[in-house]
Amino acid sequence: MKNKILIFNVTIVTLSLLVIFFSGLSVNKKSHREEAEKNIVAVTHIYKENYNDNITKNVPENVRVTVISEDKTVIADSEDQSIVGKPHENREEITAAWEGDPKVVTRKSQTLGKELVYYAEKVETQSGFVIVRTSIPVESVDAYVKNTIPTMIYVLISSLFVSYIASVLAANGIIKPLENVKKKLAAVNDGTYSGDVELSGDKDVDAILSEIDELGGKLKSSIDETNAEKERLDYILGNISDGIIVIDEHGTVGVMNKVARGVFGGDGFIGRNYSVLSADEGLMNAISSAIGNKTASEYEFENDGRIYLTSVNSLENGYTVIVMSDITEMRNGEKMRGEFFANASHELKTPLTAIRGFNDLIAMKTSDEEIKGFTVKTDKELTRILALISDMLDLSKLEANKVSVKEKLDLRAVAKEVESSLAGLAEKKKVTVTVDGQGFVEMEKEHAVELIKNLVENGIRYNNEGGFVKVKISREAGKVRLSVEDNGIGIEDECQPRIFERFYRVNKSRSRETGGTGLGLAIVKHICALYKADIDLKSKYGAGTTITVTVGAA
Ligand code: ADP
């Protein structure tokens, strides 16, 4: 910048001086010519007034006098004797004088090689007239050039010096405030801008500085806000009890809070691919399918004896968020409850079975009809208690939320099995059970049996004599649909939302009478949740009920 200003100024000064020099040269040349043209007339008049035969003798050095006869032959010449006696008629000033209309003519002398002014006039003599012509040189500009050049060089050097100083000062005057602008911009850029504007005194630069000041202020407050937001977020992430990991769309770990770092036992995961987190195949698959297919999933990740319920969610902006909750205590509690429940049930079953044995013994030994009647009632209650214990055990197993073996299961075969296991009940209730269609699912057989059995059993038990229960299996769009339809007593609209609750029974006495525990549909709902199956209820009081379960096909 400085150099450019310097070169510009020096060029301008040099050009100006050259223009001045050449203009002076031209003006000088013109004034010399005008001076000579004025002088030549006066000089000619002097020679004309003093005309005599020796007029061409003793002529001053710069003046040339030529005398030409009437017939335009040179009579005498002060400088060139060789032309005497020769005709000299083709000269413009001579012709003009001869014709009586003298005029000054300027031209370059072929003889002398320099510019001369010529003038001639007639001079009367005794024998007629002669033409006296004089010429003087136009003063050359060499002297001007000679005199001017040193001055010019002197002026040029001093001007260049002055111009250099002026340029440096001017450049500093411009660059210094600009450097201030540069410094401010750099401060805005690296976030250290403090907002103290030091005005330069230059209106234009100050306008830029004010704009920068405003921009810097806005940027600073937005950076401060972002930092405060980040601090808040860091605080929350640092103190939250769940592990949180954020992965970008390329699979790079961007955020990992303290708990998550503790789970994976390390600090150096940020900026690296998620595959360095763990070798657990299930967790890696859940993350890769969230990144690639935008699917959300839940996975129980076990590490160092701890169990983490890990939910992997893909966000719309391409990020994948993993939230890990430590559910070890919960699972241990569930396990202990389950164990306690299983032990208690087992402990209860033994004395209950013994009681049933004694009850049968009493029934066999007694002939008292009233006592026999009591033993029948006792047996019925015992059967109910044992069924209840069995359902509660099933439910507690399901709550442990474990699907250990998934096998390709023929639902039709399972339904047929259930049909024959409930044939006695169906016959007793005079209800026909049919199975139609086919479908394969991935399910534990025990769960499938439990599900179909509970639905078909309800269809039989809450039916009328001569009624039917139709089990239909169909396949559509990757799903298997199992529906259990009956034309039994149906369920009132207001009771329908509650029938999947534990121990909820529309009609307690009927349920008890038919051997219901109030847990059948709760078990069905749990099994459906385990396999992410949809369950749908359609019932009309007095007309019948259809329950449909839709589950993924195998
Ligand atoms: P329960 O052991 O009493 O049958 P469930 O959980 O299986 O318990 O059913 C809850 C209640 O829903 C039953 O008591 C009954 O009143 C009603 N219910 C279930 N299935 C049917 C059905 N197919 N028709 C009519 N009512 C039904």
Side-chain angles (χ1 to χ4, degrees), residues 296-419:
S297 58
E298 267 191 359
Y299 176 71
E300 274 189 27
F301 172 61
E302 290 191 38
N303 193 28
D304 270 353
R306 309 293 302 173
I307 307 164
Y308 301 96
L309 179 63
T310 307
S311 82
V312 185
N313 278 302
S314 166
L315 305 185
E316 267 179 16
N317 58 9
Y319 285 97
T320 296
V321 178
I322 302 168
V323 180
M324 308 183 89
S325 315
D326 191 339
I327 54 163
T328 317
E329 311 309 335
M330 197 178 91
R331 283 281 176 266
N332 287 345
E334 274 170 8
K335 202 172 154 206
M336 271 167 66
R337 272 201 307 278
E339 277 169 10
F340 167 78
F341 202 79
N343 290 339
S345 307
H346 187 72
E347 294 300 324
L348 278 171
K349 262 187 183 171
T350 320
L352 282 171
T353 319
I355 292 171
R356 176 176 255 176
F358 290 125
N359 191 46
D360 289 347
L361 216 57
I362 294 168
M364 264 167 32
K365 296 257 168 150
T366 186
S367 49
D368 187 332
E369 282 309 308
E370 201 182 1
I371 291 177
K372 260 199 174 126
F374 285 140
T375 57
V376 169
K377 280 185 182 155
T378 307
D379 188 65
K380 205 174 168 190
E381 290 306 320
L382 280 170
T383 309
R384 230 173 64 75
I385 293 174
L386 285 167
L388 202 61
I389 289 171
S390 163
D391 274 1
M392 282 168 77
L393 259 176
D394 286 345
L395 207 56
S396 115
K397 268 196 248 161
L398 286 169
E399 276 179 343
N401 202 16
K402 286 255 154 84
V403 180
S404 48
V405 198
K406 274 193 184 177
E407 50 191 79
K408 192 173 172 182
L409 199 67
D410 180 357
L411 267 194
R412 183 189 169 83
V414 176
K416 280 280 184 197
E417 217 175 276
V418 171
E419 184 195 354

Side-chain angles (χ1 to χ4, degrees), residues 398 402 443-451 527 530-531:
L398 286 169
K402 286 255 154 84
M443 221 183 211
E444 273 181 46
K445 188 177 172 189
E446 200 188 321
H447 290 154
V449 170
E450 197 76 9
L451 186 135
I527 295 172
L530 218 52
Y531 292 93

Side-chain angles (χ1 to χ4, degrees), residues 43-44 47-48 51 54-60 62-68 74 76-81 83 119 131-136:
V43 169
T44 309
Y47 282 96
K48 182 183 167 184
Y51 180 76
N54 294 319
I55 195 106
T56 58
K57 307 247 165 56
N58 298 322
V59 173
N62 271 341
V63 184
R64 180 182 174 191
V65 182
T66 314
V67 182
I68 296 134
V74 176
D77 187 273
S78 62
E79 272 181 20
D80 191 0
Q81 295 309 312
I83 60 168
Y119 186 70
I131 291 166
V132 173
R133 182 193 73 172
T134 60
S135 70
I136 54 170

